[in-house]
Amino acid sequence: MTVQDKELVPGLAGIPAAESSISYIDGQAGILEYRGHRIETLAEKSNFEETCWLLWHGELPTRKQLDGFRARLAGYRGIPQEAVDVIERLPKGGHPMAALQAGMATLGMYSPNVDVHDQSQREDAYARLIAATPTLVAAFARARAGKPFVAPDPDLDTAANFLYMLTGETPDELAAHVLDVCLVLHADHTMNASTFAARVVASTEADPYSVCASAVGALKGPLHGGANERVLQQLETIGSADAVPAWLDKVSAEKGKIMGFGHRVYKTKDPRAKRLQTLVREVREKLGSTPVYDTALALEDAVVAKLGAKGIHPNVDFFSGIVYEKLGIPTDFFTPIFAIARVSGWLSHWNEQMHDNRIFRPGQIFTGSHDAVYVPIDER
Ligand code: SDX
């Protein structure tokens, strides 16, 4: 049977692209597991650094292993001054995800070459990119605000350091904890578009910085990670809970997409959306009201009433932006935060791919013609 005889599956929906034991989703039941651990458990009991270890090694670290990993990350959070200089010269009107792509490629040029067939070198690159990605993101935020670069604090973990590098002040425990939970929730998610992009680039034996920079490009899109910033814009456009019905009727009539809803796999509420929603409640109680939250609740009720039967429910991007806004993070930095977390998933899949690699090269169903005649330009 040739490729020509096979049927095209748009978006490769449901087509396995790899075997993986890193994460698992049950889309009907709304279940997400990392290495067999339910996401609710990890969000409550774990932290981002421990989750990074779990994703890579397949088991939770001992205290000694986690302390060693944390020390390794602390040593890699700094970036060369030349990379800071490049980031500071990027156009201030550019999108932070474009700045992250440029930053990752630049970091790769100042980092040791990686033999992608060497497990220990892959593991070292894993630590380097997890540690430095927040620094790259914060460096652009500071540059765009016309503020000086803030170097990472070796005593702070990933979440706390990111907030520190954004503001120049040590964050309060609540803000650091809330962001840490968000990083755990966003770390991995089976064969999503950006992880698939990472695996395709990995399969060519490209370096991990190229793998991540390519995945950042995929995550940036509004149908994927870029949805989180658009959700907040959407809620602000709607303006209030009372305005939801008219807005939804208009969008539906125009066959528009409602940002933060729907999923290729989940046909019920995304378990990460549920945990992010409780985070919004926790943050509201301690940091004050969130006007867009009331609009979000009304929108969720209206969309689920209208489209729930089609399996359209809130996804991970629906509440995350409300949390980040309360933490004082600029809207167009929401997706870079998603990337800070997902670097761990992308590279864990890179590691898995390199264990039994074959370059991705799918086929196509040809719909063109043959034996075309070349007509000289003056006769066309
Ligand atoms: C992420 O894959 C992952 O795991 C991704 C992610 C991760 O952690 O990596 O979970 C993160 O990207 C979450 C998704 C963020 N994107 C959005 O919120 C953008 C809005 N959502 C849609 O664009 C859509 O739901 C997708 C892209 C998420 C999924 O698209 P599919 O699976 O290709 O579904 P589809 O576009 O074919 O829609 C099927 C039907 C269509 O209606 P019909 O033509 O059959 O009548 O459902 C409708 C769609 O119109 N539909 C929506 C909708 N999502 C689907 N209608 C209105 N609003 C929506 N959001």
Side-chain angles (χ1 to χ4, degrees):
M1 188 182 194
T2 68
V3 172
Q4 202 65 16
D5 303 328
K6 293 183 178 162
E7 197 170 318
L8 179 70
V9 179
L12 296 180
I15 302 292
E19 290 183 341
S20 179
S21 59
I22 299 170
S23 58
Y24 167 79
I25 300 172
D26 178 332
Q28 298 303 328
I31 292 171
L32 169 60
E33 295 170 346
Y34 294 168
R35 298 291 191 179
H37 293 271
R38 294 290 287 265
I39 193 65
E40 295 84 354
T41 307
L42 294 173
E44 185 193 340
K45 298 181 177 177
S46 188
N47 54 68
F48 182 59
E49 286 75 16
E50 183 178 78
T51 297
C52 289
W53 182 279
L54 173 67
L55 290 174
W56 183 272
H57 293 279
E59 56 193 19
L60 292 170
T62 62
R63 183 170 298 283
K64 184 167 179 277
Q65 287 169 331
L66 184 57
D67 290 348
F69 184 56
R70 285 182 188 280
R72 200 172 193 186
L73 294 177
Y76 286 153
R77 292 194 195 282
I79 59 176
Q81 182 56 46
E82 295 87 345
V84 177
D85 295 344
V86 165
I87 290 169
E88 289 180 341
R89 280 169 179 70
L90 291 173
K92 303 293 181 280
H95 195 283
M97 285 293 271
L100 179 54
Q101 267 193 319
M104 279 180 165
T106 304
L107 183 66
M109 288 187 244
Y110 285 102
S111 301
N113 285 333
V114 179
D115 174 356
V116 298
H117 301 291
D118 181 305
Q119 174 70 30
S120 64
Q121 290 189 38
R122 290 203 300 267
E123 192 172 336
D124 185 59
Y126 182 62
R128 285 176 183 271
L129 273 151
I130 286 173
T133 298
T135 313
L136 296 172
V137 174
F140 185 67
R142 297 288 292 183
R144 192 175 74 170
K147 296 176 181 171
F149 171 69
V150 174
D153 177 339
D155 297 330
L156 296 176
D157 67 14
T158 305
N161 237 318
F162 178 65
L163 295 172
Y164 166 68
M165 292 187 287
L166 271 187
T167 63
E169 291 159 25
T170 304
D172 68 43
E173 273 187 33
L174 171 70
H177 170 70
V178 166
L179 183 59
D180 185 68
V181 174
C182 291
L183 296 180
V184 170
L185 292 170
H186 285 81
D188 193 54
H189 211 240
T190 74
M191 202 53 65
N192 59 86
S194 55
T195 297
F196 181 51
R199 279 202 177 237
V200 169
V201 174
S203 77
T204 70
E205 298 189 0
D207 67 273
Y209 300 87
S210 302
V211 167
C212 287
S214 307
V216 167
L219 186 70
K220 184 172 182 242
L223 296 189
H224 192 10
N228 58 16
E229 70 174 88
R230 286 164 178 79
V231 166
L232 203 72
Q233 291 155 2
Q234 173 178 271
L235 293 171
E236 286 164 351
T237 302
I238 294 171
S240 70
D242 296 341
V244 163
W247 180 88
L248 186 56
D249 287 345
K250 182 170 179 295
V251 168
S252 301
E254 294 161 355
K255 289 233 177 272
K257 288 282 192 294
I258 305 149
M259 291 290 116
F261 287 87
H263 200 276
R264 175 65 55 79
V265 183
Y266 291 122
K267 299 311 166 190
T268 185
K269 190 165 180 176
D270 186 325
R272 299 168 298 173
K274 290 180 183 172
R275 184 66 185 89
L276 285 160
Q277 188 169 3
T278 55
L279 270 184
V280 171
R281 287 197 205 102
E282 288 166 22
V283 160
R284 265 161 50 107
E285 280 157 24
K286 293 171 185 149
L287 298 180
S289 80
T290 317
V292 288
Y293 182 55
D294 298 330
T295 307
L297 289 183
L299 182 60
E300 176 182 7
D301 291 345
V303 173
V304 173
K306 193 181 188 81
L307 299 169
K310 279 176 80 171
I312 296 170
H313 295 267
N315 59 48
V316 68
D317 289 319
F318 187 56
F319 291 108
S320 57
I322 301 174
V323 175
Y324 299 148
E325 189 210 29
K326 279 311 285 183
L327 298 183
I329 292 165
T331 304
D332 57 0
F333 278 85
F334 294 175
T335 311
I337 293 176
F338 196 146
I340 286 171
R342 191 54 60 89
V343 162
S344 61
W346 292 332
L347 290 178
S348 296
H349 280 266
W350 166 60
N351 189 41
E352 208 173 50
Q353 183 74 28
M354 298 320 291
H355 276 114
D356 181 17
N357 182 41
R358 186 164 188 225
I359 192 169
F360 277 93
R361 206 294 183 205
Q364 64 171 20
I365 293 173
F366 183 65
T367 59
S369 56
H370 301 286
D371 307 323
V373 176
Y374 186 83
V375 178
I377 191 163
D378 296 329
E379 298 172 25
R380 292 175 201 161

